[in-house]
Amino acid sequence: MKTEEQVAPEVVLEASHLTKSFSGFVAVNDVSIKVKKGAIHALIGPNGAGKTTTFNLLTKFIQPTSGTIKFMGQDITREQPTEIARMGLVRSFQISAVFPHMTALENVRLAVQKRHGDWLNFLYSSRRNSQYNDEAMALLKSVGLESYAYHPASDLSYGRKRTLELATTLALEPKVLLLDEPMAGMAHEDIDRVANIIREIGRSRTILMVEHNLSVVSTLCTTITVLARGRVLAEGDYQTVATDERVIEAYIGTSPAHV
C-alpha cells in the first residue's frame, strides 16, 4: 500500500524564502511557493502585491536578494533565463511577442526550428524549412489557429495573436509553462476561447500564471497563491482563498463571491 508521501504530486517548481529589494524597498518579502506537477497554479493579488516581481524572479529575469529557486529538484537560483528555458521552464509575456510580418505558420515553425537548434535556417529556402511544417501546423491546430496558418500575424486579432504566442511557446516543449496575464486586453469571447485552450494544455503540462481576471482563475486554476504587500497571504483552491477574511480585506470593497 502506498503511503501519502508516495502518492503526493511531485513538486516541479519551488521557491523558498524569496526576497527582492530595490534600493531599500522590499517588493517581495520571504515568499515560498510550491508548484506541483499537473497543476494550473495562479498567482493573484491586488495592485502592488508583488505578483510581477515574484513571476520575474521565478522566470529568472531578475535575481533574488535572498532565497532559492528549484526546478525539477535542481537549484536554478543563479541560472540565466535562456538556460532554464532549455531545461523546460518557459514563459510567455503580457504583451504579445510574435513577428508581425511572418505568417502564423512561419512564427510557429521558427519556434520549432529553435527547439531543434536549427532556427537560423529560416534564412534559407522554404523547401529546406518545410520539414518543420507538419509539426508547426499540428501546434496551430492544437490552439485552433490552423485556418489562419497563412495569414500574416499582423492581420490577426489581438486575442488570436496571444493564442499564436501560446503555440510558439508550446513549440519549445515546456515542462512548466509560465503565463503572464494571458487574458490581459482580451474581449470576452477571446477570454473564453483562450481559457479553454489553457485548460487543455494543462492536461499534459504544469502551468503557473499571473492573472487579474478572477472569474477565469476561479474556473481554471487548481491552486491559487494570494500575495499582498510582497508576502504570501493565503493559498489553496478558489473556495478556500475566496472566503479567507485576509484576502477579502486585501481586495477592499470586493465581496467574497468576487475575490
Side-chain angles (χ1 to χ4, degrees), residues 41-258:
H41 193 134
L43 281 176
I44 70 170
N47 290 336
K51 302 183 299 296
T52 299
T53 303
T54 299
F55 193 78
N56 286 334
L57 287 167
L58 293 173
T59 54
K60 306 315 320 307
F61 277 74
I62 56 175
Q63 293 289 348
T65 304
S66 61
T68 59
I69 304 167
K70 291 183 178 180
F71 176 55
M72 309 292 286
Q74 181 175 337
D75 192 328
I76 62 166
T77 309
R78 299 300 166 188
E79 296 288 356
Q80 296 301 309
T82 52
E83 181 58 32
I84 65 166
R86 282 193 288 269
M87 295 168 64
L89 186 64
V90 181
R91 73 173 286 175
S92 70
F93 292 85
Q94 183 177 350
I95 300 173
S96 181
V98 297
F99 295 100
H101 300 300
M102 296 173 66
T103 66
L105 181 64
E106 288 168 339
N107 267 279
V108 179
R109 188 176 67 198
L110 181 59
V112 172
Q113 289 177 235
K114 182 177 181 181
R115 192 185 81 243
H116 286 285
D118 199 25
W119 69 275
L120 286 176
N121 281 348
F122 80 92
L123 297 170
Y124 300 140
S125 69
S126 58
R127 179 179 297 179
R128 178 167 176 171
N129 293 329
S130 64
Q131 61 182 306
Y132 302 108
N133 280 351
D134 289 347
E135 188 175 347
M137 187 64 81
L139 285 161
L140 286 174
K141 186 175 182 179
S142 73
V143 298
L145 287 181
E146 66 271 27
S147 61
Y148 295 90
Y150 299 101
H151 290 236
S154 58
D155 290 351
L156 302 181
S157 68
Y158 177 74
R160 287 194 170 90
K161 285 177 184 174
R162 296 305 306 273
T163 306
L164 176 58
E165 184 191 344
L166 271 176
T168 60
T169 305
L170 290 173
L172 301 177
E173 294 191 343
K175 294 182 177 72
V176 177
L177 180 61
L178 300 114
L179 303 176
D180 187 7
E181 297 190 33
M183 311 299 172
M186 286 190 184
H188 181 73
E189 59 272 17
D190 285 328
I191 288 175
D192 290 343
R193 183 170 54 81
V194 173
N196 285 332
I197 291 169
I198 293 172
R199 184 177 292 107
E200 189 62 31
I201 292 169
R203 296 182 189 278
S204 58
R205 288 179 173 83
T206 304
I207 297 172
L208 175 66
M209 58 192 288
V210 172
E211 183 53 56
H212 280 294
N213 190 318
L214 298 179
S215 64
V216 168
V217 170
S218 69
T219 59
L220 192 60
C221 299
T222 53
T223 306
I224 300 164
T225 300
V226 185
L227 299 180
R229 298 180 181 178
R231 291 181 175 272
V232 174
L233 192 62
E235 187 172 272
D237 60 19
Y238 182 77
Q239 185 61 29
T240 298
V241 301
T243 55
D244 190 303
E245 291 184 2
R246 297 167 300 171
V247 176
I248 297 168
E249 184 179 354
Y251 282 89
I252 295 174
T254 305
S255 68
H258 294 88

